[in-house]
Amino acid sequence: MRFHSIVYQGCVWKKNRSMVNLSPPAVPVKKRSPWVQVVGHAGNFQTGRDGKLLKKYCECEQQCLQKLMNDKLRPYVPGYYGVTQKDEQDYNVMDDLLADFDSPCIMDCKMGSRTYLEEELKKAREHPQPRKDMYDKMVAVDPEAPTAEEQAQQAVLKTRYMQWRETLSSTATLGFRIEGIKKVDGSCNTNFKKTRGKDEVMRVLEDFVDSDAIILRSYHQRLKELRLVLEKSDFFKTHEVVGSSLLFVHDRSGKVGVWMIDFGKTVPLPSPLILDHRSPWVEGNREDGYLWGLDNFIDILTSMLPML
Ligand SMILES: O=P(O)(O)O[C@H]1[C@H](O)[C@@H](OP(=O)(O)O)[C@H](OP(=O)(O)O)[C@@H](OP(=O)(O)O)[C@H]1O
Ligand SMILES: Nc1ncnc2c1ncn2[C@@H]1O[C@H](COP(=O)(O)OP(=O)(O)O)[C@@H](O)[C@H]1O
C-alpha cells in the first residue's frame, strides 16, 4: 500500500509518497515533524534519511563545513557528512537541525553589517551586470527606491540591491536582520524587509517567543555562549563571514537551539589577515560586523528580559 502524506516545505505544500509497513510497531515511534525551509533559495534542499538534510553543493560551503567539524564552533553548526549525488546533482549532507524538535518555531536571522563579499563589489565594478529581477524586487517594496538611471534601465546591480536591503532593514544599524519566522501554528512570515528599528525588532522577537520569558532566557544564554566560542574560534578569526544566518529553534517542550547556517559566502582571508568582526567595514579591511551584530542582538534580549 502507498501512503500519501502532505509535507510542509517552506511556504509550499507538496505531496510526498512513501512506502509504509502495515504491521503496527511494537513500541510507539515518535513522529518527526516535517522539515521546513523558512527562507533561502527555493529548490536548494532535499530531506535525507536519519535526520539528515541535503543542500545543493557549493564548494565554498563544503570547505567551511569541513573545517568547522574540527573547530571550537562544531557544536554551533550542523554536523557535516560530506557530499552525495542524487539525480546527477551533488549535495552537501548535513544534520537537519529540526530533527529533534516537536512542531518547532523557527527564526532565521542574517548576521553581519554587510551582505555581499568584497569580491562581489570588485566584480560589479569591473563587469557591471544590472539585474531586472532585483529591480522588480526593489520596486515591489518601494517604487521610489531606484534612481532615474536605474528606472531607465529597469535594472539594478546586485551590490546596489544588497546595500539598499541593508539600509532598509536593521542590517546597517544593528548588524543583523530578521529574515523569516515560522510559528507553531504553521504560519510562515518572511515580510521583514522593512523591520529596522530596535523597538520593531523587539516586538517581532517577543511575538516569536510568544512572550515566554523562559524561552527568551534560553536564547539569551545560548547566544552568550556562542559569542564566547566565536571569540576563541580559529575558523572565525580567519574568515570573512557574509550572508550567514543564525537559526533559532524552540518547541513547546522548552527545548531551544541556535546554530550558524549558510556558509555559501564565507571565505578564508589571505594570511596573516584576521578579523575582529566588530570594527566598521572600510573597503579592503574585509570586516563583516558579525560580532557587532551579535553584541546588539544580545543587548536587545538583555533589555527584553525584565519586561517579560
Ligand atoms: O532576500 P532577497 O531580497 O530576495 O535577496 C536575495 C538574498 O540576499 C540572497 O541571500 P541568501 O542566500 O543569504 O538568502 C542572495 O543570494 P546569495 O547568497 O547567492 O547572494 C540573492 O542573490 P541571488 O541568488 O544572486 O539572486 C538575493 O536575491
Ligand atoms: N541544517 C539545517 N537544518 C534545518 N533547517 C535548515 C538547515 N539549513 C538550512 N535550513 C533551512 O533552510 C533555510 C535556508 O537556508 P540557507 O542555508 O540560508 O539556504 P540558502 O543558501 O538557499 O539561502 C533556513 O532559513 C532554514 O529554514
Side-chain angles (χ1 to χ4, degrees):
M1 180 188 151
R2 273 191 181 276
F3 173 72
H4 296 248
S5 64
I6 301 290
V7 175
Y8 185 65
Q9 293 185 325
C11 294
V12 188
W13 291 91
K14 291 189 177 168
K15 264 196 175 170
N16 189 34
R17 288 155 178 256
S18 56
M19 298 294 288
V20 286
N21 186 342
L22 282 178
S23 40
V27 279
V29 176
K30 198 172 151 239
K31 220 175 116 217
R32 185 170 279 163
S33 303
W35 178 74
V36 175
Q37 178 175 354
V38 181
V39 289
H41 296 87
N44 244 3
F45 291 90
Q46 300 237 357
T47 44
R49 274 177 301 180
D50 307 325
K52 303 282 187 296
L53 195 62
L54 277 50
K55 181 174 176 184
K56 266 193 191 160
Y57 180 77
C58 155
E59 193 188 347
C60 176
E61 188 152 51
Q62 180 209 21
Q63 299 290 311
C64 291
L65 286 167
Q66 226 159 36
K67 287 188 225 169
L68 282 161
M69 291 305 98
N70 296 311
D71 189 83
K72 289 192 168 64
L73 282 169
R74 168 71 190 83
Y76 295 89
V77 297
Y80 177 64
Y81 306 95
V83 182
T84 192
Q85 206 181 48
K86 212 174 161 183
D87 302 328
E88 295 181 14
Q89 169 68 51
D90 285 343
Y91 291 89
N92 281 317
V93 183
M94 62 185 83
D95 277 329
D96 171 1
L97 299 167
L98 310 183
D100 292 332
F101 288 84
D102 183 14
S103 304
C105 296
I106 313 161
M107 175 170 69
D108 180 305
C109 289
K110 188 170 283 194
M111 299 304 293
S113 54
R114 180 163 53 88
T115 56
Y116 53 90
L117 289 164
E118 284 203 7
E119 187 57 30
E120 292 180 274
L121 197 57
K122 217 170 123 222
K123 273 195 200 137
R125 270 197 214 108
E126 286 163 8
H127 308 284
Q129 286 182 319
R131 284 175 53 170
K132 163 106 178 80
D133 61 328
M134 289 192 155
Y135 176 86
D136 292 341
K137 285 201 279 186
M138 198 179 215
V139 291
V141 177
D142 178 4
E144 306 296 312
T147 62
E149 190 187 339
E150 288 163 350
Q151 276 175 28
Q153 285 192 322
Q154 299 273 295
V156 294
L157 293 176
K158 176 166 176 175
T159 43
R160 151 83 170 123
Y161 172 79
M162 302 295 258
Q163 284 164 352
W164 168 76
R165 289 270 280 119
E166 289 167 9
T167 49
L168 193 71
S169 67
S170 56
T171 292
T173 48
L174 295 173
F176 72 91
R177 72 171 176 238
I178 297 162
E179 289 274 284
I181 287 180
K182 183 250 156 190
K183 304 255 315 258
V184 69
D185 61 6
S187 62
C188 193
N189 187 358
T190 54
N191 188 18
F192 299 108
K193 285 194 171 70
K194 294 195 212 173
T195 304
R196 177 168 45 187
K198 223 175 196 169
D199 291 347
E200 281 173 283
V201 170
M202 276 159 107
R203 274 197 295 278
V204 176
L205 295 178
E206 185 175 345
D207 183 54
F208 171 59
V209 299
D210 214 6
S211 303
D212 187 324
I214 297 173
I215 301 281
L216 196 76
R217 202 174 295 282
S218 303
Y219 278 134
H220 186 242
Q221 189 56 35
R222 175 95 175 162
L223 288 186
K224 285 200 296 181
E225 285 161 16
L226 170 63
R227 178 167 60 184
L228 286 176
V229 179
L230 284 167
E231 284 170 339
K232 292 193 189 112
S233 157
D234 289 331
F235 176 90
F236 195 56
K237 252 188 221 93
T238 55
H239 285 74
E240 179 184 3
V241 183
V242 165
S244 176
S245 286
L246 286 179
L247 196 68
F248 294 74
V249 191
H250 67 270
D251 65 17
R252 55 189 130 204
S253 75
K255 195 198 290 271
V256 166
V258 181
W259 292 270
M260 298 170 76
I261 59 163
D262 196 356
F263 300 100
K265 289 198 294 191
T266 293
V267 292
L269 300 162
S271 177
L273 183 63
I274 56 166
L275 301 183
D276 63 34
H277 300 276
R278 284 192 172 96
S279 300
W281 176 56
V282 180
E283 196 177 347
N285 75 0
R286 313 275 298 260
E287 287 290 351
D288 52 37
Y290 194 110
L291 277 181
W292 174 62
L294 188 56
D295 290 339
N296 286 328
F297 207 125
I298 291 171
D299 288 349
I300 285 176
L301 295 188
T302 307
S303 64
M304 285 173 70
L305 277 173
M307 295 195 273
L308 293 184

